[in-house]
Amino acid sequence: MMADENGGGQDGAGPMGGAAGEAMRDAADKVRAGFTDHVMDPARRAGEAMRASGQKVADGSATIGLKIIEQAERNSHQAFEAMREAAQAKDLSEVMRIQGEYLREQGQRSMNQAREIGELIMQFGRDAVSPLRPGGSND
């Protein structure tokens, strides 16, 4: 038997035709829309936020790496400058003074550099989680 012979074809009559069929289609559409609104859209937004967050982490890591290299280069330059100065010293007391100044300056420089890296890490951390927060930016 074919569907048309049973009255369930395109004419709207039969078990799925008429008002009952329309009501079922409406219900299915509402379920589909609800699924999209409550599951698919939030999942899509979460995926986009994770991608944005991952990109910010990668960008931040690269920036921190470059900053550390820059600081190491500056520290090496200062160390060689102190060694040159010590090599030209007239006596041991001048060498000790140069070494003391270098160590004092290096200690201060190290604290400043650690603070700078710490601030960068905190800022990049905030930037990386901002897309994951409700109302966070996705840019």
Side-chain angles (χ1 to χ4, degrees), residues 28-40:
D29 288 344
K30 286 179 184 175
V31 168
R32 189 176 308 118
F35 183 77
T36 298
D37 291 347
H38 296 349
V39 177
M40 295 299 293

Side-chain angles (χ1 to χ4, degrees), residues 56-136:
K56 288 183 180 202
V57 167
D59 293 346
S61 294
T63 300
I64 289 171
L66 290 173
K67 181 58 73 175
I68 290 171
I69 291 170
E70 177 186 303
Q71 290 175 348
E73 185 178 28
R74 196 173 337 139
N75 292 343
S76 296
H77 177 72
Q78 294 295 327
F80 280 108
E81 205 172 287
M83 285 191 283
R84 252 188 238 100
E85 234 181 285
Q88 296 171 354
K90 307 242 187 292
D91 58 25
L92 185 58
S93 64
E94 193 174 349
V95 171
M96 297 303 285
R97 179 190 59 76
I98 292 167
Q99 184 178 13
E101 285 176 9
Y102 168 76
L103 290 174
R104 204 170 20 262
E105 289 171 3
Q106 181 57 35
Q108 184 62 46
R109 193 169 35 254
S110 292
M111 287 189 331
N112 291 342
Q113 290 170 346
R115 182 174 38 253
E116 186 177 11
I117 294 296
E119 289 170 358
L120 281 173
I121 289 170
M122 287 190 316
Q123 181 60 47
F124 292 141
R126 283 189 296 268
D127 290 348
V129 298
S130 69
L132 302 176
R133 292 188 180 137

